[in-house]
Amino acid sequence: MSKTQFTTNIVHADRKLNPDSGAVHYPVVNSVLFGYENPQDLVDIFQGKQAGHAYARQSTPTTDALQSMVNDMEGGVGCLVFASGMSAITTTFFTLLNAGDHIIASQFLFGNTPSVLGTLVRFGVEVTQVDVTNAQLVQDAIQPNTKMVFTETIANPVTQIADLDGIGQLCQQHNLVYIVDNTMTPSYLFKAKEVGASLITTSLTKYVGGHGTVTAGAVIDTGNYDWANFDNILDSFRQQPTHAQALTQIKKKGLRDLGGCLSSDSAHLIALGAETMSLRLERACDNAMQLAQYLNDHDKIAKVYYPGLESHPQHLDAKKYFKTFGAIISFDPIAGIDPVKLLTELNLVISATHLGDNRTLALPVAQTIFYEMGLENRQKAGISENMIRMSVGIEDIGDLLSDFEQALMSC
């Protein structure tokens, strides 16, 4: 079955693990503790000499099944799942970086990630944020104490696309850990391993789960980086095979110690959602392309930010990297149109802060998710004060276009 294609692999992923009683979905194991008739088995599990489960904060059979599925999606050598995408990112930073280290990150990061970088600074880690659409700016930021580079694929909300190949080559040349967050372009759209990513972080909450019912995140080791060359692996984890050292450290010093564990119930829901990920993405991305073209041609829209448009600054990069152009659109209504008023006129589009849902969602960016950033920082990120961000869903495109037509006529 290894030669089968993307969706076939996911649909049959649980069955390949041979769950009991012929089940085609891996069962939900809700036990927190795991008992063994021979105490030596428990000892060997604790000491890493034997595979198994000791406590649900570190693993369960159900979370292991999801990890296997996600790892296969990305072509990795190992995967850990977490209670959220932010838990995956934060745990990776805090377990692989030490005081005095330096990290280069995109200046277009979304959500809480810039806040996490600020916390790293408080703990003695140096942070430089640069325009990652230009790999030369990443090169210019490298210092003797630089340990890693972190970027998203498509930035949210302005949709800048990182020079993923160029940064990957730089990281290889300078022995830097290259972390790519592919939440906006999950594995069906983009293989981060192919641009040299060392680790992939992702919010499984979004397109992988798809249904807006559960939060989850993951870290995947692609096998591209030789952890024998990374100074910050603790001696106690050097006994592990080289490819497993980083994930073991993240698991033991992060997942176990910080406690951002994913429940078996949540893992099961993510796995069910993942089965239809490619189908949902195909529909949502097609809808996004048609909506972007419609908005781009509308006289009440000043600017549309979508990589599928030829006017997008990184359109050619998007064509090179991604299977399709994603399902996130941002746009600026013309002066005089209040973004809140426009959203109020929409009937199908839900005003909500989420991405990757089956339903189309939208919100006024400056007044909500980037409000705390302040005007100056919004301007640096290219965010206008009337920008609307939209996560396009899988509704019938004719209904979405009709909804925008009547809403724009009312403004």
Side-chain angles (χ1 to χ4, degrees):
M1 201 173 290
S2 61
K3 294 183 179 180
T4 53
Q5 297 183 56
F6 187 87
T7 299
T8 305
N9 279 330
I10 295 176
V11 169
H12 292 278
D14 281 355
R15 189 168 64 85
K16 289 189 292 183
L17 298 175
N18 297 316
D20 293 339
S21 305
V24 296
H25 291 116
Y26 209 88
V28 179
V29 179
N30 279 322
S31 183
V32 172
L33 64 158
F34 298 86
Y36 296 89
E37 291 185 11
N38 184 350
Q40 187 60 46
D41 289 337
L42 184 61
V43 170
D44 290 344
I45 290 169
F46 264 86
Q47 295 182 7
K49 299 175 183 177
Q50 176 179 320
H53 306 281
Y55 198 67
R57 184 164 14 95
Q58 295 189 68
S59 67
T60 72
T62 314
T63 57
D64 274 8
L66 178 60
Q67 287 172 173
S68 176
M69 177 188 289
V70 174
N71 191 56
D72 283 349
M73 288 182 197
E74 299 289 359
V77 297
C79 171
L80 290 173
V81 292
F82 296 81
S84 68
M86 282 311 306
S87 180
I89 291 171
T90 303
T91 301
T92 300
F93 286 163
F94 275 85
T95 55
L96 295 184
L97 292 170
N98 294 330
D101 290 342
H102 175 242
I103 177 175
I104 301 169
S106 169
Q107 72 182 42
F108 308 122
L109 296 176
F110 172 73
N112 293 106
T113 311
S115 178
V116 173
L117 295 176
T119 302
L120 287 178
V121 172
R122 288 175 47 216
F123 282 89
V125 175
E126 296 179 51
V127 176
T128 302
Q129 291 187 255
V130 301
D131 180 350
V132 290
T133 65
N134 184 348
Q136 182 60 51
L137 298 178
V138 177
Q139 168 79 63
D140 295 344
I142 294 174
Q143 302 174 177
N145 60 336
T146 304
K147 286 292 193 294
M148 65 176 57
V149 177
F150 178 86
T151 186
E152 297 166 346
T153 53
I154 300 178
N156 174 13
V158 190
T159 72
Q160 300 96 332
I161 296 171
D163 183 353
L164 296 161
D165 270 331
I167 297 172
Q169 293 168 18
L170 282 176
C171 289
Q172 184 176 28
Q173 294 166 10
H174 294 273
N175 188 40
L176 303 178
V177 176
Y178 183 23
I179 304 179
V180 175
D181 189 288
N182 75 343
T183 299
M184 294 296 104
T185 53
S187 51
Y188 179 69
L189 300 185
F190 171 65
K191 297 294 186 185
K193 180 177 181 176
E194 296 178 0
V195 297
S198 314
L199 297 173
I200 300 167
T201 58
T202 188
S203 171
L204 302 174
T205 312
K206 310 299 192 300
Y207 294 101
V208 180
H211 299 280
T213 57
V214 60
T215 62
V219 177
I220 303 96
D221 191 322
T222 64
N224 282 335
Y225 189 84
D226 184 356
W227 296 102
N229 297 327
F230 191 65
D231 296 340
N232 292 352
I233 299 296
L234 300 175
D235 290 342
S236 56
F237 303 126
R238 290 291 185 192
Q239 58 190 284
Q240 296 288 326
T242 304
H243 74 271
Q245 290 177 4
L247 280 187
T248 300
Q249 184 159 310
I250 294 169
K251 180 177 182 178
K252 298 294 186 181
K253 303 306 295 180
L255 185 60
R256 180 192 66 186
D257 292 1
L258 298 178
C261 53
L262 183 67
S263 73
S264 292
D265 284 319
S266 295
H268 177 67
L269 289 174
I270 292 293
L272 287 178
E275 293 181 358
T276 59
M277 178 172 65
S278 66
L279 309 180
R280 291 183 282 102
L281 275 168
E282 289 280 0
R283 177 64 169 260
C285 292
D286 183 63
N287 282 353
M289 186 74 242
Q290 294 189 62
L291 271 172
Q293 291 170 334
Y294 165 82
L295 294 168
N296 197 52
D297 293 337
H298 203 286
D299 58 7
K300 290 187 177 180
I301 303 299
K303 187 170 184 179
V304 179
Y305 307 83
Y306 183 67
L309 298 175
E310 292 185 2
S311 57
H312 190 282
Q314 291 91 43
H315 173 69
L316 294 180
D317 288 333
K319 289 183 68 174
K320 177 175 70 172
Y321 293 134
F322 310 133
K323 185 180 180 69
T324 60
F325 299 107
I328 302 300
I329 302 171
S330 291
F331 60 95
D332 299 334
I334 60 174
I337 294 182
D338 181 357
V340 175
K341 171 67 164 56
L342 174 55
L343 291 174
T344 303
E345 296 294 334
L346 290 164
N347 297 317
L348 287 178
V349 179
I350 302 170
S351 294
T353 176
H354 182 48
L355 301 169
D357 197 83
N358 288 332
R359 294 149 285 269
T360 297
L361 316 174
L363 47 68
V365 175
Q367 295 84 355
T368 57
I369 51 178
F370 280 91
Y371 177 72
E372 293 183 9
M373 176 184 280
L375 176 61
E376 182 178 354
N377 287 327
R378 286 196 294 271
Q379 290 175 338
K380 287 180 181 178
I383 299 169
S384 70
E385 292 304 287
N386 66 339
M387 177 180 286
I388 291 173
R389 186 202 70 189
M390 180 164 56
S391 171
V392 182
I394 64 172
E395 299 95 340
D396 293 295
I397 186 60
D399 293 330
L400 289 174
L401 292 172
S402 295
D403 197 25
F404 269 94
E405 183 66 21
Q406 63 83 23
L408 286 165
M409 286 180 62
S410 301
C411 291

